[in-house]
Amino acid sequence: MALIKIAPSILSADFARLGDEVRAIDAAGCDYVHIDVMDGHFVPNLSFGPTIIKAIRSHTKKPFDVHLMIDPAAPYLADYANAGADIITVHCEADKHLHRNLQVIRSLGKKAGVSLNPGTSVSVLEPILDDLDLILVMSVNPGFGGQKYIASQTDKIRAVRALIGNRPIELEVDGGVNADNVKMIKDAGADVVVAGSAVFSGDDYVKTIKALRTAAQ
Ligand code: DX5
Ligand code: ZN
Protein backbone atom coordinates (compact mmCIF):
# COMPACT_ATOMS: atom_id res chain seq x y z
CA MET A 1 0.00 0.00 0.00
CA ALA A 2 1.13 3.53 -0.77
CA LEU A 3 2.67 5.73 1.90
CA ILE A 4 0.22 8.02 3.66
CA LYS A 5 0.48 11.66 2.60
CA ILE A 6 0.88 14.24 5.35
CA ALA A 7 -0.74 17.67 5.06
CA PRO A 8 0.26 19.88 8.01
CA SER A 9 -2.38 22.51 8.80
CA ILE A 10 -0.78 25.92 9.11
CA LEU A 11 -3.66 26.93 11.39
CA SER A 12 -1.39 25.66 14.19
CA ALA A 13 1.73 27.43 12.86
CA ASP A 14 3.25 30.62 14.27
CA PHE A 15 1.40 33.27 12.23
CA ALA A 16 4.09 35.87 12.96
CA ARG A 17 6.58 33.69 11.06
CA LEU A 18 4.30 32.07 8.51
CA GLY A 19 6.75 32.08 5.59
CA ASP A 20 9.44 30.40 7.71
CA GLU A 21 6.92 27.87 9.02
CA VAL A 22 5.87 26.92 5.48
CA ARG A 23 9.53 26.51 4.48
CA ALA A 24 10.14 24.38 7.55
CA ILE A 25 7.31 21.91 6.85
CA ASP A 26 8.40 21.74 3.21
CA ALA A 27 11.96 20.88 4.28
CA ALA A 28 10.57 18.38 6.79
CA GLY A 29 8.94 16.42 3.96
CA CYS A 30 5.25 17.33 4.03
CA ASP A 31 3.22 16.35 0.96
CA TYR A 32 0.69 19.19 0.94
CA VAL A 33 0.34 22.46 2.84
CA HIS A 34 -3.17 22.39 4.35
CA ILE A 35 -4.67 25.87 4.58
CA ASP A 36 -7.77 26.34 6.75
CA VAL A 37 -9.87 29.33 5.69
CA MET A 38 -12.55 30.30 8.24
CA ASP A 39 -15.13 33.06 8.01
CA GLY A 40 -16.63 33.39 11.50
CA HIS A 41 -20.00 32.44 9.98
CA PHE A 42 -19.85 28.88 8.64
CA VAL A 43 -17.53 28.09 11.57
CA PRO A 44 -17.17 30.02 14.83
CA ASN A 45 -13.63 31.19 14.10
CA LEU A 46 -11.78 33.48 11.70
CA SER A 47 -8.42 32.66 10.16
CA PHE A 48 -7.11 34.18 6.94
CA GLY A 49 -7.96 34.73 3.30
CA PRO A 50 -6.39 34.91 -0.15
CA THR A 51 -3.97 37.76 0.63
CA ILE A 52 -2.12 35.66 3.20
CA ILE A 53 -2.16 32.62 0.91
CA LYS A 54 -0.63 34.70 -1.89
CA ALA A 55 2.03 35.99 0.50
CA ILE A 56 3.24 32.48 1.42
CA ARG A 57 2.98 31.03 -2.12
CA SER A 58 6.61 31.83 -2.98
CA HIS A 59 7.90 29.97 0.09
CA THR A 60 7.24 26.45 -1.23
CA LYS A 61 6.46 24.52 -4.39
CA LYS A 62 4.38 21.95 -2.48
CA PRO A 63 0.68 21.85 -3.39
CA PHE A 64 -1.57 24.24 -1.48
CA ASP A 65 -4.55 22.26 -0.17
CA VAL A 66 -7.09 25.00 0.60
CA HIS A 67 -9.96 24.00 2.88
CA LEU A 68 -12.70 26.61 2.63
CA MET A 69 -14.88 26.73 5.75
CA ILE A 70 -16.81 29.68 4.38
CA ASP A 71 -20.42 30.20 3.34
CA PRO A 72 -20.89 31.24 0.62
CA ALA A 73 -17.74 30.03 -1.11
CA ALA A 74 -18.92 30.63 -4.68
CA PRO A 75 -18.07 34.37 -4.89
CA TYR A 76 -14.48 33.73 -3.76
CA LEU A 77 -13.37 30.62 -5.69
CA ALA A 78 -11.46 32.61 -8.33
CA ASP A 79 -9.69 34.61 -5.59
CA TYR A 80 -8.35 31.40 -4.02
CA ALA A 81 -7.32 30.02 -7.40
CA ASN A 82 -5.46 33.26 -8.16
CA ALA A 83 -3.83 33.25 -4.72
CA GLY A 84 -2.10 29.97 -5.56
CA ALA A 85 -4.37 27.15 -4.41
CA ASP A 86 -3.83 23.79 -6.12
CA ILE A 87 -6.73 21.98 -4.47
CA ILE A 88 -9.85 23.93 -3.46
CA THR A 89 -12.20 22.12 -1.09
CA VAL A 90 -15.69 23.42 -0.35
CA HIS A 91 -18.12 22.16 2.28
CA CYS A 92 -21.24 20.37 1.07
CA GLU A 93 -23.14 22.05 3.94
CA ALA A 94 -22.30 25.53 2.60
CA ASP A 95 -23.69 27.31 -0.46
CA LYS A 96 -26.68 26.07 -2.44
CA HIS A 97 -25.02 24.79 -5.57
CA LEU A 98 -22.34 22.24 -4.73
CA HIS A 99 -22.17 20.77 -8.21
CA ARG A 100 -21.74 24.20 -9.76
CA ASN A 101 -18.95 25.06 -7.30
CA LEU A 102 -17.07 21.89 -8.24
CA GLN A 103 -17.43 22.70 -11.93
CA VAL A 104 -16.15 26.24 -11.35
CA ILE A 105 -13.12 24.98 -9.40
CA ARG A 106 -12.17 22.61 -12.24
CA SER A 107 -12.77 25.32 -14.84
CA LEU A 108 -10.24 27.45 -12.94
CA GLY A 109 -7.71 24.65 -13.54
CA LYS A 110 -7.69 23.46 -9.92
CA LYS A 111 -8.48 20.17 -8.23
CA ALA A 112 -11.97 20.09 -6.76
CA GLY A 113 -12.61 18.81 -3.25
CA VAL A 114 -15.68 18.43 -1.10
CA SER A 115 -15.69 18.26 2.69
CA LEU A 116 -18.26 16.58 4.95
CA ASN A 117 -18.90 17.61 8.55
CA PRO A 118 -19.08 14.78 11.10
CA GLY A 119 -22.90 14.93 11.11
CA THR A 120 -23.25 14.71 7.32
CA SER A 121 -24.09 11.44 5.57
CA VAL A 122 -21.89 10.06 2.77
CA SER A 123 -24.95 9.85 0.51
CA VAL A 124 -24.36 13.49 -0.46
CA LEU A 125 -21.34 12.25 -2.45
CA GLU A 126 -23.16 9.83 -4.73
CA PRO A 127 -24.34 12.31 -7.40
CA ILE A 128 -20.99 14.16 -7.58
CA LEU A 129 -18.41 11.37 -7.54
CA ASP A 130 -17.27 12.05 -11.09
CA ASP A 131 -16.87 15.76 -10.39
CA LEU A 132 -14.40 15.31 -7.54
CA ASP A 133 -10.63 15.03 -7.15
CA LEU A 134 -10.65 14.90 -3.34
CA ILE A 135 -13.02 14.05 -0.50
CA LEU A 136 -12.21 15.55 2.91
CA VAL A 137 -13.80 13.73 5.84
CA MET A 138 -13.92 15.98 8.91
CA SER A 139 -13.13 13.95 11.99
CA VAL A 140 -13.81 16.94 14.27
CA ASN A 141 -16.38 19.69 13.98
CA PRO A 142 -14.59 22.34 11.95
CA GLY A 143 -13.45 25.60 13.47
CA PHE A 144 -10.51 24.87 15.71
CA GLY A 145 -7.27 22.92 15.83
CA GLY A 146 -6.41 20.65 18.72
CA GLN A 147 -9.76 18.84 19.09
CA LYS A 148 -10.30 15.14 19.77
CA TYR A 149 -10.88 12.71 16.88
CA ILE A 150 -14.55 11.65 16.71
CA ALA A 151 -14.55 7.84 16.70
CA SER A 152 -17.72 7.46 14.61
CA GLN A 153 -15.90 8.94 11.62
CA THR A 154 -13.80 5.81 11.11
CA ASP A 155 -16.83 3.96 9.71
CA LYS A 156 -17.51 6.95 7.47
CA ILE A 157 -13.94 6.82 6.11
CA ARG A 158 -14.55 3.13 5.23
CA ALA A 159 -17.85 3.98 3.55
CA VAL A 160 -16.27 6.79 1.51
CA ARG A 161 -13.41 4.49 0.46
CA ALA A 162 -15.97 1.97 -0.81
CA LEU A 163 -17.91 4.67 -2.68
CA ILE A 164 -14.75 5.93 -4.41
CA GLY A 165 -14.05 2.51 -5.93
CA ASN A 166 -11.50 2.84 -8.73
CA ARG A 167 -12.03 6.54 -9.29
CA PRO A 168 -8.92 8.77 -9.07
CA ILE A 169 -10.18 10.58 -5.96
CA GLU A 170 -7.99 11.16 -2.89
CA LEU A 171 -9.51 10.56 0.52
CA GLU A 172 -8.27 13.03 3.13
CA VAL A 173 -9.07 12.99 6.85
CA ASP A 174 -8.94 16.17 8.93
CA GLY A 175 -9.08 16.68 12.68
CA GLY A 176 -7.52 15.12 15.75
CA VAL A 177 -5.05 12.99 13.79
CA ASN A 178 -2.01 11.90 15.80
CA ALA A 179 0.57 9.11 15.98
CA ASP A 180 -1.82 6.97 18.06
CA ASN A 181 -4.72 6.91 15.58
CA VAL A 182 -3.09 7.47 12.18
CA LYS A 183 -2.70 3.75 11.43
CA MET A 184 -6.37 3.09 12.12
CA ILE A 185 -7.30 6.04 9.86
CA LYS A 186 -5.02 4.81 7.07
CA ASP A 187 -6.30 1.25 7.39
CA ALA A 188 -9.88 2.57 7.09
CA GLY A 189 -8.91 4.01 3.69
CA ALA A 190 -7.33 7.46 4.05
CA ASP A 191 -4.74 8.53 1.46
CA VAL A 192 -3.93 11.86 3.11
CA VAL A 193 -4.11 13.02 6.72
CA VAL A 194 -4.22 16.61 7.91
CA ALA A 195 -2.20 17.23 11.05
CA GLY A 196 -2.16 20.59 12.77
CA SER A 197 -1.26 20.27 16.42
CA ALA A 198 0.46 16.88 15.91
CA VAL A 199 3.04 18.54 13.64
CA PHE A 200 3.36 22.06 15.03
CA SER A 201 3.29 21.23 18.76
CA GLY A 202 6.85 19.92 18.55
CA ASP A 203 9.95 22.00 17.68
CA ASP A 204 11.31 19.42 15.27
CA TYR A 205 8.97 19.07 12.28
CA VAL A 206 11.16 16.42 10.65
CA LYS A 207 10.62 14.32 13.75
CA THR A 208 6.85 14.94 14.05
CA ILE A 209 6.15 14.26 10.37
CA LYS A 210 8.35 11.16 10.41
CA ALA A 211 6.62 9.92 13.57
CA LEU A 212 3.22 10.16 11.85
CA ARG A 213 4.46 8.41 8.71
CA THR A 214 6.10 5.62 10.69
CA ALA A 215 3.06 5.15 12.92
CA ALA A 216 0.85 4.79 9.83
CA GLN A 217 2.89 1.87 8.45
C1 DX5 B 1 -10.41 22.29 11.75
C2 DX5 B 1 -9.42 22.32 10.61
C3 DX5 B 1 -8.31 21.35 10.77
C4 DX5 B 1 -7.51 21.55 12.02
C5 DX5 B 1 -6.69 20.33 12.26
O1 DX5 B 1 -11.46 23.12 11.46
O2 DX5 B 1 -10.06 22.02 9.39
O3 DX5 B 1 -7.48 21.35 9.62
O4 DX5 B 1 -6.73 22.68 12.00
O5 DX5 B 1 -6.02 20.52 13.45
P1 DX5 B 1 -5.65 19.32 14.42
O6 DX5 B 1 -4.76 18.39 13.62
O7 DX5 B 1 -4.94 19.99 15.53
O8 DX5 B 1 -6.93 18.65 14.82
ZN1 ZN C 1 -8.79 21.65 7.49
Side-chain angles (χ1 to χ4, degrees):
M1 230 186 156
L3 276 184
I4 193 106
K5 290 184 181 171
I6 311 284
S9 165
I10 58 167
L11 189 64
S12 298
D14 179 351
F15 285 3
R17 305 172 35 251
L18 208 45
D20 293 343
E21 292 276 70
V22 168
R23 269 202 289 258
I25 53 172
D26 177 330
C30 74
D31 295 284
Y32 297 157
V33 177
H34 186 80
I35 302 179
D36 286 310
V37 177
M38 302 180 177
D39 67 352
H41 165 72
F42 180 70
V43 290
N45 195 7
L46 275 167
S47 58
F48 37 68
T51 317
I52 303 286
I53 297 173
K54 198 169 184 180
I56 56 173
R57 185 59 279 191
S58 61
H59 291 260
T60 179
K61 291 192 164 60
K62 299 270 167 90
F64 273 8
D65 169 29
V66 176
H67 177 192
L68 296 181
M69 287 162 274
I70 64 175
D71 186 9
Y76 308 105
L77 296 173
D79 292 342
Y80 287 97
N82 293 333
D86 297 286
I87 306 164
I88 300 179
T89 296
V90 292
H91 266 264
C92 63
E93 303 87 358
D95 292 68
K96 290 190 177 69
H97 300 289
L98 176 58
H99 183 271
R100 180 186 290 156
N101 277 354
L102 298 172
Q103 281 184 311
V104 169
I105 295 167
R106 280 187 167 176
S107 75
L108 291 164
K110 307 301 174 185
K111 289 189 174 173
V114 69
S115 182
L116 280 70
N117 280 335
T120 300
S121 163
V122 299
S123 58
V124 71
L125 297 170
E126 283 164 19
I128 51 166
L129 280 170
D130 291 321
D131 304 290
L132 287 174
D133 301 296
L134 180 135
I135 297 169
L136 178 58
V137 172
M138 286 306 305
S139 43
V140 298
N141 284 297
F144 303 95
Q147 302 181 78
K148 192 175 179 295
Y149 180 87
I150 299 172
S152 58
Q153 300 308 298
T154 310
D155 279 346
K156 187 193 274 182
I157 298 165
R158 280 193 205 97
V160 172
R161 180 85 262 161
L163 263 183
I164 289 174
N166 292 326
R167 293 176 181 82
I169 300 175
E170 283 199 316
L171 172 45
E172 184 174 32
V173 175
D174 185 2
V177 177
N178 56 47
D180 295 328
N181 60 18
V182 68
K183 182 163 176 16
M184 173 190 75
I185 293 165
K186 180 178 186 260
D187 289 348
D191 302 303
V192 189
V193 288
V194 175
S197 37
V199 168
F200 287 100
S201 60
D203 297 334
D204 184 345
Y205 303 158
V206 175
K207 201 168 142 193
T208 53
I209 290 175
K210 200 172 163 198
L212 278 172
R213 246 194 261 283
T214 309
Q217 287 309 106

